[in-house]
Each structure stands twice: as structure tokens, then as C-alpha cells.
Amino acid sequence: MKLWHYALIVFLGGCCYGVLSTFVKLAYAAGFSVTEVTGSQYMFGALLTWIVVMFTRRKTLPFRPTLKLLLSGIPFGLTGIFYYQSLQTLNASLAIIFLFQFVWIGTLFEWIFYKRRPTIAKLISIGILLVGSGLAANMVAQERVVLTWQGCVWGMLAALTFTTFIFLSSAVERTTPPILKSALLATGGMITVFAVFPPVFLLNPSVLLELAPYGLMLGFFGVVLPPLLFSIGMPHVGPGLGTILTASELPVAVFMSSLVLAEQVGWPQWLGVALILGGIIGGNARQIIMKKAAVYTYNSSSAT
């Protein structure tokens, strides 16, 4: 596969997260609690992933790699927990702004751990993404912004754990088949969520039956697809570009709110969507062109 194929795969992984907010709102409107929605998302997601593993060619893993992948799923589960906690004291637009800080934290991680200093072009792209996120989250229309230190801390922790999950997706057990890796990451995330939000809804069959459609949709788009797509694409694009690509989450969230929930989306939000997409393209096009040029130079020198 070519580099832009892997970039597209990571981009689609980010798009999956953008679908979640719509189904979460529908589940809340149906009367379900944060504990029920979060727990069912990770439970059904892990179950769906393991079903796929059962029908694919299986590869047994030793204990140590299995444990590493299960532990790597902890930040996956913590992201949902921290984000939902931030929503307790911040409105949705502010909470998503704090979560969106992963676009620069990923570049910082890459600088610290891989010694890859960010280029001016990448920094400009990150700036465009942050401005676009403020517009897309409808911050312009907010007459009164209320900040709480608890909400800010939870929001930044969500951004940090999300970046950590992306980083681990690109670094841990890179030779493990993506679907098996995804299943173990999802299981680690589920165990983490159940430790914080005990799944008491499992004791009530009628609630579980009503919750199942929402849990299946949230599990598929939030637990099954992202780890799988990130496991395939992240090792090739790296956490720096990977976090920029996953900024596709917010534009998709705006589109879904408009199409499914019929929410009014103003021109500042559409401008923010355009800026985010432009920042994603700008942040990755130069990197892909440079890598292609490096490969071409290497092939030319080998031929001579």
C-alpha cells in the first residue's frame, strides 16, 4: 500500500469518532445514563471485535505481548471516561475544544519520543486546525463561556489519553495482526471502563435489550473500527501526522448533527469544517510528497 492509503485509513478512523456524538445524544434522549451508554459502547464493541477474530485466521500470542496490548487499551477506555467527566461541568462545545488539543500533543509526543522536530508547515497546520475547531464547535455564537477548573482538567486529560492511545497504536506490537490487536485494545478499554462504571445494566435484561441498538452502533464506530484502522495505518504515518488526520472527527460530528439530528449549523461552523479539512490536507500533503521524493531518490541511487 502507498503512504496516502495509510493516511486515508487513519483519516477514516477519525471520522468514526465523529459519528459517536450523534448516537450518544440519541441514547441520552432515550433516557439512558452516562454509565449505561459508556459501558454498553465498550462491551458491545469488544464483543463484535472478538466475533470477527473468531472467523479470521487466528494467531496465538505469548503472554507478554497480550498483556502489553491489554494495558495499551487503558488510555482508550480512559479517554471516554475523562471526556464524559468534562461534560459534567463544561458545555459540549468547550469539552470538545479541550479534547481537540490532541492535535498538538501528538506532535509534542513525536518530538519527545522520536526526536522529530515539527516543521513550520506542520505548526501552521496545527494552528489552522485549532482555529477551525473553535469555529466548528460554535464558539463564536457562545454569548457566555463558563470555565471550571475541574472541567478543564478532565478535558485535557481526555486529550492526553487519546494521544497516548494513538501513540501506542503506532508503537506497540506492530507485527500483531490488526484485528487481533484491535480486539485486545478494545478488551483493555472495556475492563478500564467497567472498573470505573460497573456494568449494573447487565443485571436488568429489559434495559439491556433497549440499550443494545445504541451500544452496537457506538461499539462499532467507537470501539471496533478506530483501533483496527489505527493499527493498520498509524505505524506508517506516525503519531504526529496521525493526530492531525484524526482531526476529521469534528467535521463529521458537525455533518452528522446537521443531517441526523437536524441541528442548525451556521456559516462559522461550516467555515471551521473547511479550515479543519484544509489543515489536514496541508499537514499531510507535504509529508507524503517528501517521502515519495525520498523513495524516488533512493531507487534512483540504487539503480545507478
Side-chain angles (χ1 to χ4, degrees):
M1 293 176 69
K2 297 180 180 179
L3 181 59
W4 74 267
H5 291 154
Y6 292 111
L8 178 61
I9 288 171
V10 176
F11 177 86
L12 292 174
C15 290
C16 291
Y17 280 120
V19 174
L20 298 183
S21 60
T22 295
F23 289 107
V24 168
K25 289 179 182 178
L26 291 174
Y28 288 162
F32 297 108
S33 66
V34 173
T35 300
E36 292 166 340
V37 172
T38 310
S40 65
Q41 173 184 332
Y42 282 85
M43 183 191 73
F44 281 109
L47 287 174
L48 287 172
T49 312
W50 280 110
I51 289 172
V52 176
V53 171
M54 288 173 59
F55 288 96
T56 57
R57 187 177 180 180
R58 277 177 273 182
K59 174 185 176 182
T60 56
L61 281 182
F63 174 76
R64 188 182 294 271
T66 300
L67 181 62
K68 285 171 65 176
L69 287 170
L70 286 172
L71 293 176
S72 297
I74 292 176
F76 182 35
L78 288 178
T79 299
I81 294 169
F82 291 153
Y83 181 63
Y84 288 129
Q85 286 296 328
S86 71
L87 287 171
Q88 301 299 311
T89 55
L90 296 178
N91 62 38
S93 59
L94 271 177
I96 202 166
I97 291 297
F98 278 101
L99 176 63
F100 212 76
Q101 302 309 304
F102 66 76
V103 297
W104 64 264
I105 298 176
T107 298
L108 181 63
F109 271 33
E110 196 171 48
W111 191 0
I112 294 172
F113 295 106
Y114 293 152
K115 310 303 179 186
R116 297 174 187 168
R117 188 172 181 175
T119 62
I120 298 297
K122 181 180 285 188
L123 293 176
I124 292 173
S125 295
I126 290 172
I128 293 173
L129 289 171
L130 293 176
V131 172
S133 68
L135 291 170
N138 205 25
M139 290 299 295
V140 174
Q142 299 288 330
E143 295 180 0
R144 184 167 174 263
V145 177
V146 179
L147 286 173
T148 64
W149 71 266
Q150 298 100 325
C152 295
V153 169
W154 288 122
M156 288 305 298
L157 283 173
L160 182 62
T161 53
F162 185 59
T163 310
T164 304
F165 169 61
I166 292 175
F167 181 81
L168 292 174
S169 296
S170 68
V172 175
E173 298 300 324
R174 298 174 63 159
T175 59
T176 302
I179 186 60
L180 179 57
K181 182 176 179 179
S182 176
L184 290 169
L185 290 172
T187 303
M190 181 189 70
I191 293 170
T192 304
V193 170
F194 280 179
V196 178
F197 295 145
V200 293
F201 61 87
L202 293 176
L203 303 177
N204 192 330
S206 62
V207 172
L208 181 61
L209 188 62
E210 294 175 5
L211 186 61
Y214 301 101
L216 286 168
M217 292 301 295
L218 290 170
F220 182 70
F221 286 105
V223 179
V224 177
L225 288 181
L228 176 61
L229 297 174
F230 291 164
S231 296
I232 295 171
M234 282 295 180
H236 299 274
V237 301
L241 285 175
T243 48
I244 291 177
L245 284 162
T246 51
S248 58
E249 169 189 353
L250 193 47
V252 173
V254 174
F255 279 114
M256 290 292 292
S257 296
S258 176
L259 294 174
V260 179
L261 301 178
E263 293 183 355
Q264 187 67 35
V265 178
W267 69 264
Q269 290 176 270
W270 292 122
L271 175 60
V273 168
L275 285 174
I276 291 172
L277 295 176
I280 292 172
I281 294 170
N284 288 273
R286 184 173 179 273
Q287 186 76 7
I288 292 173
I289 291 170
M290 288 176 63
K291 288 197 175 185
K292 280 186 175 180
V295 171
Y296 176 78
T297 303
Y298 174 79
N299 290 338
S300 299
S301 60
S302 299
T304 56

